Amino acid sequence: MKTHPFNLIFGIIVILSVGVWLYTNFGLIQSEHLSEATITEKTHDEDGYYIKIDKKKLKVKDTSTWMLLETGEHYSVTYEWYGMKKPYVKEINQSHDKDQIGGH
């Protein structure tokens, strides 16, 4: 059976496209930093603790940190996400404060 060169080239393109898609959606961690961000809402459910900043719902992994945050206050927030995961808070500080919340 003869293989047509078009099939080989098409197969390589498909494999490369799938590889790039998988890397950008599941292997590449994306990050964003907001300064002077205001917390508009704090919620929690069985999945975890969340804050809402600029209409974005961010997960706070540490419950102690979540309890220290106050609605209506300004914070510098760095959050990350990858793939289909919900964005989570990586680092949060009060605006114009050198120390991180929690004394770290």
Side-chain angles (χ1 to χ4, degrees), residues 77-88:
V77 180
T78 302
Y79 64 95
E80 295 180 343
W81 73 95
Y82 62 95
M84 301 301 196
K85 297 287 185 178
K86 292 182 180 180
Y88 62 92

Side-chain angles (χ1 to χ4, degrees), residues 34 37-43 49-60 66 69-73 75 77 89:
L34 301 171
T38 304
I39 296 177
T40 56
E41 185 179 345
K42 286 175 55 175
T43 59
Y49 293 84
Y50 297 93
I51 58 174
K52 191 175 269 191
I53 295 176
D54 295 336
K55 299 181 182 177
K56 293 178 182 147
K57 187 176 182 180
L58 306 175
K59 183 173 187 171
V60 181
W66 182 83
L69 299 173
E70 295 183 22
T71 306
E73 293 292 322
Y75 297 94
V77 180
V89 174

Side-chain angles (χ1 to χ4, degrees), residues 14-55:
V14 167
I15 290 171
L16 286 175
S17 299
V18 169
V20 168
W21 181 81
L22 286 172
Y23 175 73
T24 56
N25 283 316
F26 298 103
L28 183 65
I29 296 175
Q30 300 177 15
S31 179
E32 188 171 331
H33 178 78
L34 301 171
S35 55
E36 296 290 329
T38 304
I39 296 177
T40 56
E41 185 179 345
K42 286 175 55 175
T43 59
H44 66 89
D45 56 24
E46 60 273 350
D47 293 333
Y49 293 84
Y50 297 93
I51 58 174
K52 191 175 269 191
I53 295 176
D54 295 336
K55 299 181 182 177

